[in-house]
């Protein structure tokens, strides 16, 4: 390992079950927590949150496969990403808590349901769509994104995902395109959009969650939502707490879906309080 971004964080690599190298930054000391990124995000998006949590925990802030400094495999399966989390947990001693945001929260939930040795789960706005009237992504989302990527239209795939899935106004995406560094990073991550679509599976179709699918996630779990976020996120959070045996829900006033990146100082105390039990 070598120091990076000041003395607090060190970079490292662990090898997942299929041989893929997963890059991470480790900081702080104490009980371990692994940060699981959302769609179109890598570990740079959670650097500030990691620094805040490192005052209380050993924080593993990693690049999901196919992103940043991590490797990838020829074929994708959600199970491989779960193995990546298991490898990181093994690296820090065999048990850790997870914090995931958006589709990263769902991946963290899937890891717990699969029996990975997890102490606690803190989740920010898992984007389940559980009520018939709530807006979900287009039914042919995977096909549309895959087609754009096959044509080499990575930027268009990002725009499609941001506008049709994340609900971002087209004008906002237009202005993001005018920020070369930001847009270049997003288009570099475009190839992993199918991964997050696979992580979400059939959970965004306006139907109740299948309790059987998640019953393995029996660890203490807290679902956080932002008070400024659409009501669908609140409904999704309540649905999670209803099917998990040890889950509760907190709404954080004034925050929206981008709070993990934009307002980490308001989220970190909530995560810390819960993970410290």
């Amino acid at each position: 390992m070598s120091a990076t971004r000041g003395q607090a964080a060190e970079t490292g690599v662990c090898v997942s079950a299929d041989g893929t190298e997963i890059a991470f930054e480790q900081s702080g000391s104490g009980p371990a927590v692994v940060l699981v990124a959302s769609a179109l995000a890598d570990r740079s998006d959670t650097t500030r949150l990691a620094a805040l949590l490192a005052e209380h925990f050993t924080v593993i802030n990693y690049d999901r496969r196919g992103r940043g400094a991590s490797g990838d495999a020829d074929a994708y399966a959600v199970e491989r990403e779960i193995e990546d989390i298991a490898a990181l947990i093994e690296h820090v001693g065999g048990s850790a808590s997870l914090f995931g945001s958006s589709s990263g929260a769902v991946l963290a939930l899937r890891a717990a349901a699969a029996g990975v040795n997890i102490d606690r789960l803190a989740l920010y706005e898992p984007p389940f769509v559980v009520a018939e009237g709530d807006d979900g992504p287009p039914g042919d989302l995977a096909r549309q994104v895959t087609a754009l990527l096959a044509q080499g239209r990575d930027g268009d795939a990002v725009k499609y995902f941001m506008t049709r899935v994340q609900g971002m106004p087209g004008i906002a995406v237009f202005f993001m395109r005018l920020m070369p560094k930001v847009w270049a990073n997003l288009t570099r991550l475009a190839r992993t959009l199918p991964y997050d679509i696979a992580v979400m599976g059939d959970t965004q179709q306006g139907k109740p969650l299948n309790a059987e699918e998640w019953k393995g996630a029996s660890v203490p779990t807290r679902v956080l939502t932002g008070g400024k976020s659409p009501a669908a996120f609140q409904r999704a959070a309540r649905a999670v707490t209803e099917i998990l045996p040890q889950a509760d829900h907190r709404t954080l006033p004034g925050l929206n879906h981008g709070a993990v990146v934009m307002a980490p100082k308001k989220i970190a105390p909530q995560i810390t309080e819960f993970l410290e039990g």
Side-chain angles (χ1 to χ4, degrees), residues 13-22 65 79-88:
V13 170
C14 74
V15 180
S16 193
D18 71 344
T20 300
E21 292 191 342
I22 304 299
R65 61 173 53 214
E79 290 76 13
R80 301 296 81 75
E81 288 222 68
I82 292 171
E83 290 167 357
D84 299 345
I85 291 171
L88 290 162

Side-chain angles (χ1 to χ4, degrees), residues 211-229:
E212 188 69 19
E213 187 176 0
W214 307 100
K215 68 177 184 181
S218 57
V219 299
T221 300
R222 174 158 295 170
V223 189
L224 302 169
T225 52
K228 282 188 171 179
S229 292

Side-chain angles (χ1 to χ4, degrees), residues 4-6 8-11 24-28 35-38 41-55 59-63 99 101 185 259-265 268:
T4 185
R5 290 195 188 123
E10 297 184 322
T11 56
F24 63 88
E25 287 180 349
Q26 181 171 329
S27 55
L35 307 186
V36 188
S38 63
D42 58 21
R43 72 180 191 238
S44 66
D45 292 271
T46 38
T47 298
R48 290 196 299 153
L49 178 63
L52 293 165
L53 294 176
E55 296 171 14
V59 180
I60 299 293
N61 187 20
Y62 79 105
D63 286 327
F99 170 75
S101 60
N185 196 43
V260 171
V261 176
M262 304 305 292
K265 285 185 178 178

Side-chain angles (χ1 to χ4, degrees), residues 164-218:
R164 299 299 301 277
V165 180
Q166 296 178 327
M168 196 177 285
I171 190 70
V173 179
F174 171 79
F175 282 116
M176 290 181 88
R177 283 181 181 258
L178 300 180
M179 297 184 277
K181 196 173 177 182
V182 171
W183 192 250
N185 196 43
L186 288 168
T187 52
R188 270 197 298 272
L189 293 165
R191 298 270 149 184
T192 62
L193 282 172
Y195 300 4
D196 288 276
I197 295 168
V199 165
M200 294 310 301
D202 62 356
T203 64
Q204 295 181 299
Q205 298 178 357
K207 300 173 186 172
L209 294 175
N210 177 3
E212 188 69 19
E213 187 176 0
W214 307 100
K215 68 177 184 181
S218 57

